[in-house]
Amino acid sequence: MQDETKVERERHVLTLAPGDQLTGLSVFQIDQPHQHILVQVAEVTARQGKAHAGIQGCAIFRALGKGDVAVLTQWLSQGACTQAEPTLLKPPEQDLYQVVWNDHISGQRTSRIALEDGLFHFINVFRLTPRKRHEFIQYFQHLSRIVRVQPGYISSNLLISLDGFHAVNVGQFQTQHDFQAMLRKPRVAMGFAQGVLRRIVPGPPRLRQYALVMVSLSDTAHMEQTG
């Protein structure tokens, strides 16, 4: 029975890779005492949404030390997202993204989000300076070269919103300790500061540290993975 449960969990994997796939990221601000309630509601909504034809899957994150709950969703198309019923899984239009670049310590072009991997996740949200999208991507790639040599690094995944006003880095480290040690490195801090000093971004990113609590796939995506 335990082996069957393990196999079932391994089938629940979201992948992040550059391309046209539509990704939603909704971050819900909530006070810490009620965080677990919102997580439970999101989990129930994800299970109910498995049969929705337009959604491929979702991942639910619980912020550590803050009241945030983040929901990452993957959609077949923008039209499918627009037509979906309003739920916690449906992001506002301004929270729709595409993955434009990623880096994985293995050199592969795909990152995975899965409970059984046991990785620590963090999410940076950047506001973008108008007309500096290309310059921001170059800045982020340079910053990632500094971060990727730090102990425990796994991946960085850069998403840019369809409206061009925000960028998101969904990052992974082996442990929260590894990540926090990286933040204390002067070279890393200076790398982040360069974005503001060079006016590529109007301010520092909003950073949250997360525990991954659920990954759910639509019935169609689940059949593709098992097939």
Side-chain angles (χ1 to χ4, degrees):
M1 184 67 178
Q2 289 182 346
D3 290 341
E4 291 179 0
T5 302
K6 181 179 179 181
V7 170
E8 184 68 17
R9 284 185 176 179
E10 289 177 351
R11 291 170 179 163
H12 286 71
V13 177
L14 289 187
T15 58
L16 297 174
D20 296 331
Q21 185 178 58
L22 186 68
T23 301
L25 178 67
S26 300
V27 179
F28 301 94
Q29 307 283 344
I30 189 168
D31 60 305
Q32 195 73 27
H34 295 95
Q35 186 190 54
H36 73 284
I37 297 176
L38 184 57
V39 168
Q40 290 175 347
V41 172
E43 290 177 328
V44 170
T45 305
R47 293 188 185 98
Q48 293 174 343
K50 289 177 64 175
H52 191 286
I55 189 170
Q56 291 186 309
C58 72
I60 301 170
F61 300 87
R62 174 181 57 81
L64 303 173
K66 297 284 185 179
D68 292 5
V69 173
V71 179
L72 183 77
T73 51
Q74 293 181 333
W75 299 83
L76 292 177
S77 67
Q78 189 170 359
C81 181
T82 300
Q83 294 171 16
E85 294 294 324
T87 68
L88 285 177
L89 302 186
K90 181 178 180 177
E93 188 174 347
Q94 66 269 22
D95 291 336
L96 292 174
Y97 294 81
Q98 286 181 330
V99 180
V100 299
W101 182 84
N102 79 342
D103 173 72
H104 195 280
I105 192 63
S106 68
Q108 64 191 26
R109 292 279 291 167
T110 301
S111 299
R112 49 181 271 156
I113 298 176
L115 280 170
E116 73 272 8
D117 290 349
L119 298 178
F120 166 78
H121 294 78
F122 66 96
I123 299 177
N124 287 337
V125 179
F126 298 83
R127 288 183 296 125
L128 297 184
T129 300
R131 298 178 299 280
K132 289 198 174 183
R133 181 181 187 274
H134 180 68
E135 192 173 353
F136 172 80
I137 293 174
Q138 290 184 319
Y139 151 74
F140 183 84
Q141 291 172 335
H142 173 74
L143 179 60
S144 294
R145 286 194 289 271
I146 298 173
V147 174
R148 80 181 319 274
V149 297
Q150 305 304 318
Y153 172 86
I154 299 296
S155 76
S156 296
N157 304 273
L158 180 62
L159 294 73
I160 293 185
S161 62
L162 298 187
D163 63 15
F165 290 116
H166 292 90
V168 164
N169 173 29
V170 180
Q172 298 173 312
F173 268 71
Q174 285 284 359
T175 67
Q176 184 180 19
H177 175 78
D178 290 333
F179 175 74
Q180 292 177 338
M182 177 272 296
L183 290 180
R184 292 192 292 268
K185 301 289 182 65
R187 190 182 179 203
V188 174
M190 180 56 67
F192 275 102
Q194 285 300 310
V196 179
L197 294 174
R198 293 165 53 193
R199 299 189 179 184
I200 298 171
V201 291
R206 183 189 71 204
L207 169 63
R208 293 289 186 270
Q209 303 177 44
Y210 288 96
L212 177 64
V213 297
M214 181 183 186
V215 176
S216 177
L217 299 183
S218 69
D219 291 339
T220 301
H222 187 274
M223 290 175 62
E224 290 176 353
Q225 284 198 6
T226 57

